[in-house]
Amino acid sequence: MFVLTAFVSCDEVGDTDPGGTSVESMAGDWFITLTDSDGHVLVQNALHSTYNTAANNNTMWIDDHENGYVIKCKVEVDTKTGTFKATSAENILDGSKVTITDGKIEKGAGVSKGGHKVDKISFRAHYDYDAAGYDILYVGHKRTGFFEDEY
């Protein structure tokens, strides 16, 4: 009886690889500088995150954790081209609507504070409460986790 139990309890459970998400190539933490339409710097090196939504359907969150211009919204992603966009997406941090254009992540096109070659992120956001028509330009680089690259 003991030998039979030993063989049954050691059965492999199959594939234990959990796989990835639909946007894993575009997910991460980013240090982003924000400028307005006139070129004035609003925030420098604010930590933002991009990560998959629960739907896991080529949408992702952009979240500044209230470090930048207060944005947390879902965007549509094209992982093949590294682009993303949103039209009147709900900004759940302040209830506004935000439209994101020209969103892209470029592999190896950025440089970290310490001089490491990293991915670059950029996009343009327009908030519905801005009657003057100003956009906010977001440009930054991926966080490496190295001490010399932290702000």
Side-chain angles (χ1 to χ4, degrees), residues 26 81-85 100-105 121-124:
M26 298 174 75
T81 61
T83 59
F84 56 93
K85 64 181 179 178
I100 293 178
T101 57
D102 303 326
K104 62 184 168 184
I105 294 176
I121 188 171
S122 60
F123 61 96
R124 183 175 292 274

Side-chain angles (χ1 to χ4, degrees), residues 90-107:
E90 182 182 358
N91 182 2
I92 66 171
L93 293 179
D94 69 3
S96 66
K97 299 288 185 189
V98 60
T99 297
I100 293 178
T101 57
D102 303 326
K104 62 184 168 184
I105 294 176
E106 300 170 85
K107 299 295 181 189

Side-chain angles (χ1 to χ4, degrees), residues 70-92:
V70 188
I71 185 171
K72 182 175 183 179
C73 69
K74 291 181 189 179
V75 295
E76 301 169 22
V77 174
D78 183 340
T79 56
K80 290 184 175 106
T81 61
T83 59
F84 56 93
K85 64 181 179 178
T87 304
S88 293
E90 182 182 358
N91 182 2
I92 66 171

